[in-house]
């Protein structure tokens, strides 16, 4: 389904645990939605992989068996219509991308639990904190977890490839430049 009115992006996008997603206010459901390409950029996953995940039977099952054709929406940022990714779609996509060990998705899954746990503990104990404190802590946790997951994956690949300690030294040298 293609909407005829072009929608503008939400200024500043939507940041989730330090990952910025370009978002658009959907004119019919009046909720923020995302584009597949924007989700791809935010999660650092190839566009084709995002499409494959969203077309998978796992995705459709988690979405409740809805196998309807992906909705498109015209925007002011591109002459081509975007494929809409709803909030529910993004949650499912992050979960499935995490299962496939994409580092940003894994880190988002892990960090989100830590943030919710701390917020729940603080609420139970009556410890007042600003929402921003949780969001900042979550973004920091996600970045650390993403780095560790990426590093462990590269380290394992180095040893699996038979590059040994010399290969690991090259990885360490490359990482220390970041």
């Amino acid at each position: 389904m293609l909407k005829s009115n072009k929608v503008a992006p939400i200024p500043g996008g939507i940041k989730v645990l330090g990952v910025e997603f370009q978002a658009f206010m959907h004119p019919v459901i009046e909720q923020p939605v995302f584009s597949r390409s924007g989700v791809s950029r935010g999660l650092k996953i190839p566009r084709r992989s995002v499409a494959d995940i969203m077309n998978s039977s796992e995705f459709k099952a988690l979405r409740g068996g809805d196998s309807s054709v992906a909705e498109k929406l015209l925007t002011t940022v591109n002459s081509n219509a975007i494929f809409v990714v709803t909030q529910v779609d993004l949650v499912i996509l992050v979960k499935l991308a995490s299962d496939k060990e994409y580092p940003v998705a894994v880190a988002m899954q892990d960090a989100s639990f830590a943030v919710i746990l701390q917020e729940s503990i603080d609420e139970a104990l009556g410890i007042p904190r600003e929402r921003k404190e949780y969001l900042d802590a979550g973004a920091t946790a996600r970045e650390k977890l993403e780095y560790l997951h990426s590093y462990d994956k590269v380290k394992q690949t180095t040893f699996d490839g038979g590059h040994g300690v010399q290969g690991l030294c090259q990885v360490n040298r490359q990482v220390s430049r970041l």
Side-chain angles (χ1 to χ4, degrees):
M1 183 172 148
L2 188 60
K3 304 295 176 208
S4 60
N5 296 336
K6 290 186 174 190
V7 294
I10 295 172
I14 295 178
K15 266 193 174 176
V16 181
L17 297 173
V19 175
E20 189 172 321
F21 295 99
Q22 185 179 40
F24 304 86
M25 186 59 74
H26 194 287
V28 175
I29 63 172
E30 296 180 356
Q31 292 286 321
V33 294
F34 312 91
S35 70
R36 277 192 193 172
S37 59
V39 168
S40 168
R41 282 189 305 273
L43 295 177
K44 299 178 186 171
I45 299 173
R47 285 185 196 178
R48 183 73 236 158
S49 296
V50 170
D52 288 346
I53 291 171
M54 291 185 75
N55 290 323
S56 72
S57 57
E58 290 172 299
F59 184 88
K60 291 173 185 170
L62 288 171
R63 201 166 194 282
D66 183 10
S67 60
S68 61
V69 177
E71 180 182 6
K72 290 184 177 183
L73 187 66
L74 292 172
T75 69
T76 59
V77 295
N78 194 331
S79 59
N80 297 325
I82 64 166
F83 284 98
V84 171
V85 176
T86 65
Q87 294 172 47
V88 170
D89 293 343
L90 185 55
V91 170
I92 295 168
L93 214 157
V94 168
K95 187 246 181 287
L96 294 176
S98 174
D99 292 349
K100 294 182 182 301
E101 298 185 12
Y102 285 104
V104 175
V106 170
M108 288 184 88
Q109 287 283 96
D110 292 347
S112 62
F113 177 74
V115 169
I116 295 299
L117 177 62
Q118 185 63 56
E119 191 174 17
S120 299
I121 290 169
D122 289 352
E123 184 179 327
L125 298 177
I127 300 171
R129 290 189 206 263
E130 294 293 320
R131 182 86 176 130
K132 185 170 176 7
E133 286 184 67
Y134 296 111
L135 297 177
D136 291 346
T140 301
R142 186 212 37 94
E143 289 168 355
K144 287 179 182 176
L145 291 165
E146 181 183 339
Y147 168 79
L148 289 173
H149 180 73
S150 296
Y151 179 78
D152 286 344
K153 199 167 190 149
V154 170
K155 182 175 83 171
Q156 187 63 42
T157 302
T158 300
F159 282 108
D160 287 349
H163 302 291
V165 175
Q166 184 178 7
L168 187 57
C169 289
Q170 290 175 357
V171 169
N172 286 333
R173 190 172 29 250
Q174 193 67 17
V175 169
S176 68
R177 290 186 192 142
L178 299 177

